[in-house]
Amino acid sequence: GSYGRGWPDIRLGPWWGHTSATDGQNPCKQLRQREALSMNKHSITFSGNELVIHQDDGSADRMNMPHPIICIEDAMSNSWLFVVTDPPSNAADAPNLYCIDWQNTSVLWTKAADKSRSRNNIFTQSRFNPETNTLTVWDWDGYRSIVNPANGQLIESHFFK
């Protein structure tokens, strides 16, 4: 199916038939350029660094992220949108996980992956679990971490490779 202007139909979250626009197996909604995430009457689109939040009234709020967006995840019950970006190697210390209030188009918190194992470590995927109200993130170094979605604080982290 399609959503709007010929964009692929994206279902919300793993508990609603979570899929990826690419292969259906990736735990992150890896939406490519010009693909949309439908959020009730809202939709979220992105291209490069630009995130566009389409509101109910037809308006669109735009945010320019500091680096290209590689994946987004939503938590509709709390108005949270989690954005993972891809910083270049010369900006590896920068946070690349953002929690955005999509109703107010504001950044609530940011987080960088743990650099103790590798200076270039970044987050690569995310998944929100509405049943436990937690955010799971995976990083390049092979760790899966559970994060408090309200404040970005690390709850636990485990090596999974």
Side-chain angles (χ1 to χ4, degrees), residues 86-115:
D86 187 16
S89 59
N90 65 349
D93 290 337
N96 81 309
L97 175 63
Y98 299 83
C99 178
I100 296 170
D101 179 334
W102 59 265
Q103 290 181 327
N104 300 316
T105 319
S106 60
V107 176
L108 301 175
W109 54 261
T110 64
K111 187 166 190 63
D114 184 344
K115 306 295 184 200

PDB file of all heavy atoms in Angstrom, residues 86-115:
ATOM      1  N   ASP A  86      23.349  10.279  11.769  1.00  0.00           N
ATOM      2  CA  ASP A  86      24.623   9.682  11.352  1.00  0.00           C
ATOM      3  C   ASP A  86      25.696  10.760  11.293  1.00  0.00           C
ATOM      4  O   ASP A  86      25.956  11.322  10.234  1.00  0.00           O
ATOM      5  CB  ASP A  86      24.444   9.019   9.991  1.00  0.00           C
ATOM      6  CG  ASP A  86      25.660   8.226   9.556  1.00  0.00           C
ATOM      7  OD1 ASP A  86      26.530   7.933  10.407  1.00  0.00           O
ATOM      8  OD2 ASP A  86      25.740   7.896   8.365  1.00  0.00           O
ATOM      9  N   PRO A  87      26.353  11.051  12.432  1.00  0.00           N
ATOM     10  CA  PRO A  87      27.393  12.082  12.406  1.00  0.00           C
ATOM     11  C   PRO A  87      28.624  11.605  11.646  1.00  0.00           C
ATOM     12  O   PRO A  87      28.940  10.412  11.661  1.00  0.00           O
ATOM     13  CB  PRO A  87      27.716  12.303  13.887  1.00  0.00           C
ATOM     14  CG  PRO A  87      27.297  11.064  14.574  1.00  0.00           C
ATOM     15  CD  PRO A  87      26.186  10.476  13.758  1.00  0.00           C
ATOM     16  N   PRO A  88      29.330  12.521  10.982  1.00  0.00           N
ATOM     17  CA  PRO A  88      30.566  12.129  10.302  1.00  0.00           C
ATOM     18  C   PRO A  88      31.640  11.780  11.335  1.00  0.00           C
ATOM     19  O   PRO A  88      31.523  12.126  12.512  1.00  0.00           O
ATOM     20  CB  PRO A  88      30.938  13.386   9.504  1.00  0.00           C
ATOM     21  CG  PRO A  88      30.299  14.503  10.238  1.00  0.00           C
ATOM     22  CD  PRO A  88      29.047  13.944  10.858  1.00  0.00           C
ATOM     23  N   SER A  89      32.686  11.110  10.900  1.00  0.00           N
ATOM     24  CA  SER A  89      33.729  10.667  11.831  1.00  0.00           C
ATOM     25  C   SER A  89      34.393  11.831  12.566  1.00  0.00           C
ATOM     26  O   SER A  89      34.829  11.674  13.697  1.00  0.00           O
ATOM     27  CB  SER A  89      34.774   9.823  11.104  1.00  0.00           C
ATOM     28  OG  SER A  89      35.364  10.560  10.065  1.00  0.00           O
ATOM     29  N   ASN A  90      34.431  13.015  11.964  1.00  0.00           N
ATOM     30  CA  ASN A  90      35.038  14.158  12.649  1.00  0.00           C
ATOM     31  C   ASN A  90      34.111  14.763  13.702  1.00  0.00           C
ATOM     32  O   ASN A  90      34.498  15.683  14.413  1.00  0.00           O
ATOM     33  CB  ASN A  90      35.487  15.229  11.650  1.00  0.00           C
ATOM     34  CG  ASN A  90      34.328  15.853  10.902  1.00  0.00           C
ATOM     35  OD1 ASN A  90      33.200  15.377  10.965  1.00  0.00           O
ATOM     36  ND2 ASN A  90      34.618  16.919  10.176  1.00  0.00           N
ATOM     37  N   ALA A  91      32.885  14.227  13.830  1.00  0.00           N
ATOM     38  CA  ALA A  91      31.938  14.686  14.852  1.00  0.00           C
ATOM     39  C   ALA A  91      31.452  13.507  15.690  1.00  0.00           C
ATOM     40  O   ALA A  91      30.343  13.512  16.206  1.00  0.00           O
ATOM     41  CB  ALA A  91      30.763  15.395  14.199  1.00  0.00           C
ATOM     42  N   ALA A  92      32.318  12.500  15.828  1.00  0.00           N
ATOM     43  CA  ALA A  92      31.917  11.255  16.498  1.00  0.00           C
ATOM     44  C   ALA A  92      31.551  11.463  17.962  1.00  0.00           C
ATOM     45  O   ALA A  92      30.845  10.648  18.537  1.00  0.00           O
ATOM     46  CB  ALA A  92      33.024  10.218  16.373  1.00  0.00           C
ATOM     47  N   ASP A  93      32.031  12.537  18.590  1.00  0.00           N
ATOM     48  CA  ASP A  93      31.697  12.793  19.995  1.00  0.00           C
ATOM     49  C   ASP A  93      30.302  13.388  20.162  1.00  0.00           C
ATOM     50  O   ASP A  93      29.793  13.481  21.273  1.00  0.00           O
ATOM     51  CB  ASP A  93      32.723  13.738  20.631  1.00  0.00           C
ATOM     52  CG  ASP A  93      34.079  13.059  20.802  1.00  0.00           C
ATOM     53  OD1 ASP A  93      34.117  11.820  20.843  1.00  0.00           O
ATOM     54  OD2 ASP A  93      35.078  13.781  20.880  1.00  0.00           O
ATOM     55  N   ALA A  94      29.697  13.790  19.076  1.00  0.00           N
ATOM     56  CA  ALA A  94      28.389  14.445  19.143  1.00  0.00           C
ATOM     57  C   ALA A  94      27.299  13.435  19.504  1.00  0.00           C
ATOM     58  O   ALA A  94      27.373  12.265  19.136  1.00  0.00           O
ATOM     59  CB  ALA A  94      28.058  15.088  17.796  1.00  0.00           C
ATOM     60  N   PRO A  95      26.269  13.888  20.226  1.00  0.00           N
ATOM     61  CA  PRO A  95      25.127  12.990  20.444  1.00  0.00           C
ATOM     62  C   PRO A  95      24.464  12.680  19.103  1.00  0.00           C
ATOM     63  O   PRO A  95      24.458  13.518  18.208  1.00  0.00           O
ATOM     64  CB  PRO A  95      24.201  13.799  21.344  1.00  0.00           C
ATOM     65  CG  PRO A  95      24.647  15.202  21.247  1.00  0.00           C
ATOM     66  CD  PRO A  95      26.068  15.205  20.805  1.00  0.00           C
ATOM     67  N   ASN A  96      23.934  11.467  18.979  1.00  0.00           N
ATOM     68  CA  ASN A  96      23.226  11.152  17.737  1.00  0.00           C
ATOM     69  C   ASN A  96      21.866  10.507  17.984  1.00  0.00           C
ATOM     70  O   ASN A  96      21.231  10.028  17.066  1.00  0.00           O
ATOM     71  CB  ASN A  96      24.091  10.298  16.800  1.00  0.00           C
ATOM     72  CG  ASN A  96      24.102   8.827  17.147  1.00  0.00           C
ATOM     73  OD1 ASN A  96      24.354   8.445  18.297  1.00  0.00           O
ATOM     74  ND2 ASN A  96      23.831   7.993  16.167  1.00  0.00           N
ATOM     75  N   LEU A  97      21.406  10.552  19.245  1.00  0.00           N
ATOM     76  CA  LEU A  97      20.056  10.112  19.583  1.00  0.00           C
ATOM     77  C   LEU A  97      19.327  11.306  20.174  1.00  0.00           C
ATOM     78  O   LEU A  97      19.824  11.933  21.116  1.00  0.00           O
ATOM     79  CB  LEU A  97      20.096   8.957  20.588  1.00  0.00           C
ATOM     80  CG  LEU A  97      18.750   8.467  21.128  1.00  0.00           C
ATOM     81  CD1 LEU A  97      17.877   7.905  20.000  1.00  0.00           C
ATOM     82  CD2 LEU A  97      18.969   7.418  22.212  1.00  0.00           C
ATOM     83  N   TYR A  98      18.168  11.619  19.604  1.00  0.00           N
ATOM     84  CA  TYR A  98      17.390  12.782  20.026  1.00  0.00           C
ATOM     85  C   TYR A  98      15.981  12.354  20.376  1.00  0.00           C
ATOM     86  O   TYR A  98      15.385  11.542  19.667  1.00  0.00           O
ATOM     87  CB  TYR A  98      17.307  13.814  18.881  1.00  0.00           C
ATOM     88  CG  TYR A  98      18.652  14.331  18.463  1.00  0.00           C
ATOM     89  CD1 TYR A  98      19.436  13.619  17.575  1.00  0.00           C
ATOM     90  CD2 TYR A  98      19.142  15.530  18.969  1.00  0.00           C
ATOM     91  CE1 TYR A  98      20.688  14.086  17.194  1.00  0.00           C
ATOM     92  CE2 TYR A  98      20.384  16.005  18.591  1.00  0.00           C
ATOM     93  CZ  TYR A  98      21.148  15.278  17.702  1.00  0.00           C
ATOM     94  OH  TYR A  98      22.384  15.736  17.335  1.00  0.00           O
ATOM     95  N   CYS A  99      15.450  12.918  21.437  1.00  0.00           N
ATOM     96  CA  CYS A  99      14.041  12.744  21.759  1.00  0.00           C
ATOM     97  C   CYS A  99      13.367  14.079  21.469  1.00  0.00           C
ATOM     98  O   CYS A  99      13.748  15.123  22.025  1.00  0.00           O
ATOM     99  CB  CYS A  99      13.854  12.367  23.226  1.00  0.00           C
ATOM    100  SG  CYS A  99      12.110  12.196  23.686  1.00  0.00           S
ATOM    101  N   ILE A 100      12.384  14.054  20.599  1.00  0.00           N
ATOM    102  CA  ILE A 100      11.698  15.272  20.165  1.00  0.00           C
ATOM    103  C   ILE A 100      10.232  15.184  20.550  1.00  0.00           C
ATOM    104  O   ILE A 100       9.593  14.148  20.358  1.00  0.00           O
ATOM    105  CB  ILE A 100      11.852  15.450  18.643  1.00  0.00           C
ATOM    106  CG1 ILE A 100      13.338  15.642  18.318  1.00  0.00           C
ATOM    107  CG2 ILE A 100      11.004  16.605  18.125  1.00  0.00           C
ATOM    108  CD1 ILE A 100      13.646  15.583  16.859  1.00  0.00           C
ATOM    109  N   ASP A 101       9.706  16.256  21.095  1.00  0.00           N
ATOM    110  CA  ASP A 101       8.268  16.375  21.337  1.00  0.00           C
ATOM    111  C   ASP A 101       7.671  16.789  19.999  1.00  0.00           C
ATOM    112  O   ASP A 101       7.828  17.931  19.571  1.00  0.00           O
ATOM    113  CB  ASP A 101       7.989  17.412  22.412  1.00  0.00           C
ATOM    114  CG  ASP A 101       6.504  17.589  22.698  1.00  0.00           C
ATOM    115  OD1 ASP A 101       5.673  17.322  21.799  1.00  0.00           O
ATOM    116  OD2 ASP A 101       6.173  18.019  23.809  1.00  0.00           O
ATOM    117  N   TRP A 102       7.012  15.858  19.311  1.00  0.00           N
ATOM    118  CA  TRP A 102       6.528  16.166  17.967  1.00  0.00           C
ATOM    119  C   TRP A 102       5.339  17.108  17.963  1.00  0.00           C
ATOM    120  O   TRP A 102       5.026  17.714  16.945  1.00  0.00           O
ATOM    121  CB  TRP A 102       6.247  14.904  17.152  1.00  0.00           C
ATOM    122  CG  TRP A 102       5.249  13.961  17.703  1.00  0.00           C
ATOM    123  CD1 TRP A 102       5.500  12.861  18.461  1.00  0.00           C
ATOM    124  CD2 TRP A 102       3.835  14.010  17.543  1.00  0.00           C
ATOM    125  NE1 TRP A 102       4.330  12.224  18.785  1.00  0.00           N
ATOM    126  CE2 TRP A 102       3.286  12.905  18.240  1.00  0.00           C
ATOM    127  CE3 TRP A 102       2.968  14.877  16.886  1.00  0.00           C
ATOM    128  CZ2 TRP A 102       1.924  12.650  18.293  1.00  0.00           C
ATOM    129  CZ3 TRP A 102       1.613  14.614  16.944  1.00  0.00           C
ATOM    130  CH2 TRP A 102       1.105  13.515  17.634  1.00  0.00           C
ATOM    131  N   GLN A 103       4.656  17.289  19.083  1.00  0.00           N
ATOM    132  CA  GLN A 103       3.558  18.254  19.128  1.00  0.00           C
ATOM    133  C   GLN A 103       4.076  19.689  19.199  1.00  0.00           C
ATOM    134  O   GLN A 103       3.479  20.592  18.637  1.00  0.00           O
ATOM    135  CB  GLN A 103       2.642  17.976  20.311  1.00  0.00           C
ATOM    136  CG  GLN A 103       1.832  16.713  20.128  1.00  0.00           C
ATOM    137  CD  GLN A 103       0.899  16.442  21.288  1.00  0.00           C
ATOM    138  OE1 GLN A 103       1.199  16.764  22.440  1.00  0.00           O
ATOM    139  NE2 GLN A 103      -0.237  15.853  20.992  1.00  0.00           N
ATOM    140  N   ASN A 104       5.198  19.880  19.903  1.00  0.00           N
ATOM    141  CA  ASN A 104       5.776  21.225  20.059  1.00  0.00           C
ATOM    142  C   ASN A 104       7.021  21.428  19.217  1.00  0.00           C
ATOM    143  O   ASN A 104       7.603  22.504  19.242  1.00  0.00           O
ATOM    144  CB  ASN A 104       6.122  21.482  21.529  1.00  0.00           C
ATOM    145  CG  ASN A 104       4.897  21.396  22.399  1.00  0.00           C
ATOM    146  OD1 ASN A 104       3.842  21.917  22.054  1.00  0.00           O
ATOM    147  ND2 ASN A 104       5.019  20.716  23.525  1.00  0.00           N
ATOM    148  N   THR A 105       7.452  20.402  18.494  1.00  0.00           N
ATOM    149  CA  THR A 105       8.656  20.445  17.680  1.00  0.00           C
ATOM    150  C   THR A 105       9.847  20.962  18.490  1.00  0.00           C
ATOM    151  O   THR A 105      10.537  21.884  18.090  1.00  0.00           O
ATOM    152  CB  THR A 105       8.448  21.301  16.409  1.00  0.00           C
ATOM    153  OG1 THR A 105       7.160  21.030  15.865  1.00  0.00           O
ATOM    154  CG2 THR A 105       9.483  20.972  15.353  1.00  0.00           C
ATOM    155  N   SER A 106      10.071  20.360  19.642  1.00  0.00           N
ATOM    156  CA  SER A 106      11.193  20.770  20.480  1.00  0.00           C
ATOM    157  C   SER A 106      11.993  19.544  20.915  1.00  0.00           C
ATOM    158  O   SER A 106      11.445  18.460  21.095  1.00  0.00           O
ATOM    159  CB  SER A 106      10.689  21.532  21.706  1.00  0.00           C
ATOM    160  OG  SER A 106       9.830  20.717  22.474  1.00  0.00           O
ATOM    161  N   VAL A 107      13.295  19.739  21.075  1.00  0.00           N
ATOM    162  CA  VAL A 107      14.177  18.671  21.526  1.00  0.00           C
ATOM    163  C   VAL A 107      14.068  18.575  23.038  1.00  0.00           C
ATOM    164  O   VAL A 107      14.291  19.555  23.750  1.00  0.00           O
ATOM    165  CB  VAL A 107      15.636  18.925  21.100  1.00  0.00           C
ATOM    166  CG1 VAL A 107      16.562  17.851  21.668  1.00  0.00           C
ATOM    167  CG2 VAL A 107      15.744  18.990  19.580  1.00  0.00           C
ATOM    168  N   LEU A 108      13.709  17.387  23.543  1.00  0.00           N
ATOM    169  CA  LEU A 108      13.581  17.162  24.984  1.00  0.00           C
ATOM    170  C   LEU A 108      14.905  16.732  25.596  1.00  0.00           C
ATOM    171  O   LEU A 108      15.239  17.138  26.707  1.00  0.00           O
ATOM    172  CB  LEU A 108      12.511  16.116  25.265  1.00  0.00           C
ATOM    173  CG  LEU A 108      11.117  16.452  24.751  1.00  0.00           C
ATOM    174  CD1 LEU A 108      10.163  15.283  24.981  1.00  0.00           C
ATOM    175  CD2 LEU A 108      10.594  17.709  25.430  1.00  0.00           C
ATOM    176  N   TRP A 109      15.662  15.888  24.898  1.00  0.00           N
ATOM    177  CA  TRP A 109      16.985  15.477  25.360  1.00  0.00           C
ATOM    178  C   TRP A 109      17.777  14.886  24.194  1.00  0.00           C
ATOM    179  O   TRP A 109      17.219  14.539  23.161  1.00  0.00           O
ATOM    180  CB  TRP A 109      16.924  14.494  26.532  1.00  0.00           C
ATOM    181  CG  TRP A 109      16.081  13.248  26.345  1.00  0.00           C
ATOM    182  CD1 TRP A 109      14.804  13.063  26.792  1.00  0.00           C
ATOM    183  CD2 TRP A 109      16.440  12.039  25.661  1.00  0.00           C
ATOM    184  NE1 TRP A 109      14.352  11.819  26.431  1.00  0.00           N
ATOM    185  CE2 TRP A 109      15.337  11.159  25.749  1.00  0.00           C
ATOM    186  CE3 TRP A 109      17.577  11.596  25.003  1.00  0.00           C
ATOM    187  CZ2 TRP A 109      15.350   9.890  25.195  1.00  0.00           C
ATOM    188  CZ3 TRP A 109      17.596  10.333  24.440  1.00  0.00           C
ATOM    189  CH2 TRP A 109      16.486   9.498  24.547  1.00  0.00           C
ATOM    190  N   THR A 110      19.098  14.808  24.400  1.00  0.00           N
ATOM    191  CA  THR A 110      19.994  14.178  23.428  1.00  0.00           C
ATOM    192  C   THR A 110      20.891  13.193  24.164  1.00  0.00           C
ATOM    193  O   THR A 110      21.089  13.311  25.376  1.00  0.00           O
ATOM    194  CB  THR A 110      20.875  15.217  22.703  1.00  0.00           C
ATOM    195  OG1 THR A 110      21.730  15.844  23.660  1.00  0.00           O
ATOM    196  CG2 THR A 110      20.038  16.258  21.985  1.00  0.00           C
ATOM    197  N   LYS A 111      21.440  12.239  23.434  1.00  0.00           N
ATOM    198  CA  LYS A 111      22.310  11.240  24.055  1.00  0.00           C
ATOM    199  C   LYS A 111      23.355  10.788  23.044  1.00  0.00           C
ATOM    200  O   LYS A 111      23.057  10.580  21.873  1.00  0.00           O
ATOM    201  CB  LYS A 111      21.488  10.044  24.519  1.00  0.00           C
ATOM    202  CG  LYS A 111      22.275   9.029  25.330  1.00  0.00           C
ATOM    203  CD  LYS A 111      21.319   8.080  26.030  1.00  0.00           C
ATOM    204  CE  LYS A 111      22.028   7.220  27.039  1.00  0.00           C
ATOM    205  NZ  LYS A 111      22.638   7.957  28.133  1.00  0.00           N
ATOM    206  N   ALA A 112      24.580  10.629  23.537  1.00  0.00           N
ATOM    207  CA  ALA A 112      25.661  10.063  22.733  1.00  0.00           C
ATOM    208  C   ALA A 112      25.892   8.629  23.190  1.00  0.00           C
ATOM    209  O   ALA A 112      25.697   8.301  24.367  1.00  0.00           O
ATOM    210  CB  ALA A 112      26.939  10.878  22.901  1.00  0.00           C
ATOM    211  N   ALA A 113      26.314   7.778  22.275  1.00  0.00           N
ATOM    212  CA  ALA A 113      26.662   6.398  22.626  1.00  0.00           C
ATOM    213  C   ALA A 113      27.925   6.404  23.481  1.00  0.00           C
ATOM    214  O   ALA A 113      28.743   7.326  23.412  1.00  0.00           O
ATOM    215  CB  ALA A 113      26.873   5.573  21.359  1.00  0.00           C
ATOM    216  N   ASP A 114      28.096   5.367  24.292  1.00  0.00           N
ATOM    217  CA  ASP A 114      29.263   5.214  25.156  1.00  0.00           C
ATOM    218  C   ASP A 114      30.530   5.156  24.304  1.00  0.00           C
ATOM    219  O   ASP A 114      30.627   4.342  23.388  1.00  0.00           O
ATOM    220  CB  ASP A 114      29.106   3.927  25.970  1.00  0.00           C
ATOM    221  CG  ASP A 114      30.222   3.713  26.973  1.00  0.00           C
ATOM    222  OD1 ASP A 114      31.272   4.369  26.871  1.00  0.00           O
ATOM    223  OD2 ASP A 114      30.034   2.870  27.864  1.00  0.00           O
ATOM    224  N   LYS A 115      31.488   6.014  24.600  1.00  0.00           N
ATOM    225  CA  LYS A 115      32.740   6.082  23.829  1.00  0.00           C
ATOM    226  C   LYS A 115      33.880   5.330  24.507  1.00  0.00           C
ATOM    227  O   LYS A 115      34.999   5.355  24.030  1.00  0.00           O
ATOM    228  CB  LYS A 115      33.162   7.538  23.628  1.00  0.00           C
ATOM    229  CG  LYS A 115      32.112   8.426  23.008  1.00  0.00           C
ATOM    230  CD  LYS A 115      31.779   8.033  21.606  1.00  0.00           C
ATOM    231  CE  LYS A 115      30.798   9.025  21.025  1.00  0.00           C
ATOM    232  NZ  LYS A 115      30.062   8.562  19.919  1.00  0.00           N
TER     233      LYS A 115
END
